[in-house]
Amino acid sequence: MAEEEHSFDDFEQIDFLRDRHVRFFQRCLQVLPERYSSLETSRLTIVFFALSGLDVLDALDVIDKPSLMEWIYSLQVLPTEDQSNLSRCGFRGSSQIGVPYQTKGPGSPHPYDSAHVAMTYTGLASLIILGDDLSRVNKQACMAGLRALQLEDGSFYAVPEGSENDMRFIYCAACICHMLDDWSGMDVKKAIDYIRQSMSYDNGIGQGAGLESHGGSTFCAVAALCLMGRLEEVFGPRQLERIRRWCILRQHNGFHGRPNKPVDTCYSFWVGATLELLDVFKYTNFEKNRNYILSTQDRLVGGFAKWPDSHPDPLHAYFGICGLSLIGEPSLRRVHPALNISQRALEHLQQLQRAWREPCT
């Protein structure tokens, strides 16, 4: 598709209700409906969706940044005085187990207090979005906690007590290592072997070896390899062309995650970002993608749902915004397709990393 076909002047004009989406994410930071109570242990991820959504909407001025930073730091699992919990360090999802509110070490011993790899990723990303310098992050403890989660096959548990282990957590681990500029938290070779073995017969990538290809796990694999700087080393030109083809075939009007499944707003990011990382997103139909995303927009309360005429939720609201950002929706900040944060937040992270690498004087 020629680039001039992507001009927004030629698209069917469906209003993007920016101000309603800003208010939707503000509400997500304050109060959620009762049906979200089951997500209490993942509260930090919901905060990430809301914060990053506001960032992409260029509306971070509506929040109290210092208090949010303090709350996020209160969720850091810090080493105890005897450092017996190093394998549990990182960030927890909320304060649901009743540990004392504290933002400085040493940590309080608790038999069930442990970090979750996805919460460590979203916690660090949220701090970066808020403009924090990460000086209070115990990087060595985060790396120790991350190393304890990796299995012999290269995949990761989410928590040290044991859990599912699949491509999602390899991606989270790669994001953590990339953001903290320290790859000692994972055995990269083992992780790469796991990714390579997870390619399916149809050239998509599954959650693990022998599992069905999926748009989400394909994104996690490709994005993790890009963060490692190893994509073209792991997959040759022919394999990359086959992955591109599998991803492009996921578009109907919006995108779906697997063949013969309905389209879903979030895959406009998962699959769209994968295609952007593979440098072929420009060949998709931007107009159909945009129209589908906007068909799931709640015109009353803001936010996006997975399907038209469904309730909006923080996850689909955020990835709907990101999907629109990828196609260049006016007034939205650009999203970095691998780290899943805005380019503005990425530039702040890169500035921090340059300062960390400078020799002390």
Side-chain angles (χ1 to χ4, degrees):
M1 182 180 289
E3 286 192 17
E4 57 266 27
E5 292 183 38
H6 294 329
S7 169
F8 276 87
D9 294 335
D10 299 331
F11 286 5
E12 177 187 350
Q13 290 304 305
I14 303 175
D15 291 341
F16 172 65
L17 305 176
R18 176 188 178 277
D19 291 345
R20 282 192 171 87
H21 301 311
V22 171
R23 290 195 291 273
F24 177 86
F25 286 127
Q26 282 183 276
R27 286 194 300 275
C28 291
L29 291 172
Q30 296 162 358
V31 63
L32 288 168
E34 182 272 337
R35 66 178 180 273
Y36 287 98
S37 60
S38 63
L39 300 177
E40 167 62 22
T41 57
S42 304
R43 189 186 293 188
L44 187 50
T45 295
I46 297 173
V47 168
F48 165 74
F49 291 148
L51 283 178
S52 198
L54 289 169
D55 187 17
V56 177
L57 287 162
D58 194 14
L60 281 177
D61 58 319
V62 302
I63 62 172
D64 180 356
K65 293 181 182 180
S67 65
L68 275 167
M69 287 182 197
E70 291 303 306
W71 180 78
I72 293 169
Y73 272 116
S74 77
L75 300 178
Q76 186 175 195
V77 180
L78 292 164
T80 55
E81 287 186 350
D82 62 1
Q83 298 200 335
S84 60
N85 69 332
L86 274 179
S87 64
R88 296 172 172 268
C89 290
F91 284 78
R92 64 178 82 87
S94 75
S95 57
Q96 84 282 350
I97 62 171
V99 293
Y101 184 98
Q102 62 182 65
T103 58
K104 299 178 181 178
S108 302
H110 190 292
Y112 304 112
D113 189 23
S114 57
H116 186 293
V117 68
M119 306 307 146
T120 303
Y121 159 52
T122 53
L124 292 171
S126 296
L127 289 170
I128 291 163
I129 291 164
L130 290 167
D132 186 66
D133 63 4
L134 304 186
S135 61
R136 289 188 283 168
V137 173
N138 190 320
K139 299 181 179 66
Q140 290 73 30
C142 284
M143 290 298 106
L146 197 55
R147 284 192 295 272
L149 297 175
Q150 191 168 22
L151 305 180
E152 277 302 310
D153 66 0
S155 65
F156 284 77
Y157 281 144
V159 292
E161 293 82 3
S163 68
E164 299 170 300
N165 55 291
D166 54 50
M167 200 66 69
R168 296 170 299 173
F169 305 137
I170 286 183
Y171 169 70
C172 291
C175 287
I176 294 165
C177 291
H178 182 85
M179 287 188 286
L180 295 181
D181 200 23
D182 184 349
W183 288 90
S184 68
M186 66 188 301
D187 186 320
V188 172
K189 183 182 182 301
K190 286 183 178 179
I192 286 174
D193 288 343
Y194 185 89
I195 293 171
R196 186 183 283 116
Q197 292 167 13
S198 299
M199 177 174 270
S200 187
Y201 71 94
D202 59 357
N203 305 304
I205 299 172
Q207 293 283 22
L211 300 180
E212 181 183 15
S213 298
H214 190 280
S217 49
T218 299
F219 165 80
C220 289
V222 170
L225 291 173
C226 287
L227 293 172
M228 296 173 189
R230 308 285 286 275
L231 178 65
E232 294 183 355
E233 175 186 330
V234 174
F235 295 125
R238 180 174 293 184
Q239 287 175 305
L240 288 174
E241 284 303 308
R242 289 172 175 172
I243 297 171
R244 291 181 179 111
R245 182 178 185 276
W246 187 89
C247 290
I248 283 180
L249 289 174
R250 303 285 65 77
Q251 182 169 26
H252 287 229
N253 43 15
F255 288 83
H256 63 193
R258 292 174 286 169
N260 303 312
K261 293 291 184 177
V263 294
D264 179 333
T265 301
C266 65
Y267 293 107
S268 288
F269 174 77
W270 297 126
V271 180
T274 307
L275 289 166
E276 182 70 20
L277 292 168
L278 296 172
D279 200 30
V280 290
F281 185 59
K282 57 182 174 285
Y283 299 119
T284 62
N285 190 313
F286 282 24
E287 182 176 9
K288 287 185 176 181
N289 187 14
R290 180 179 189 267
N291 287 346
Y292 178 75
I293 296 172
L294 291 180
S295 75
T296 71
Q297 176 178 237
D298 191 304
R299 302 185 67 84
L300 180 62
V301 301
F304 293 83
K306 65 189 301 181
W307 299 315
D309 301 319
S310 300
H311 290 294
D313 63 80
L315 182 149
H316 288 91
Y318 174 60
F319 287 118
I321 296 288
C322 290
L324 291 171
S325 172
L326 287 174
I327 63 175
E329 180 75 25
S331 80
L332 294 182
R333 294 186 188 274
R334 297 293 292 178
V335 170
H336 184 267
L339 269 183
N340 188 22
I341 58 176
S342 72
Q343 289 287 348
R344 182 208 61 81
L346 176 69
E347 289 167 9
H348 172 63
L349 173 62
Q350 291 172 335
Q351 185 178 12
L352 292 178
Q353 290 176 338
R354 285 193 293 270
W356 296 340
R357 292 167 189 165
E358 288 177 0
C360 297
T361 56

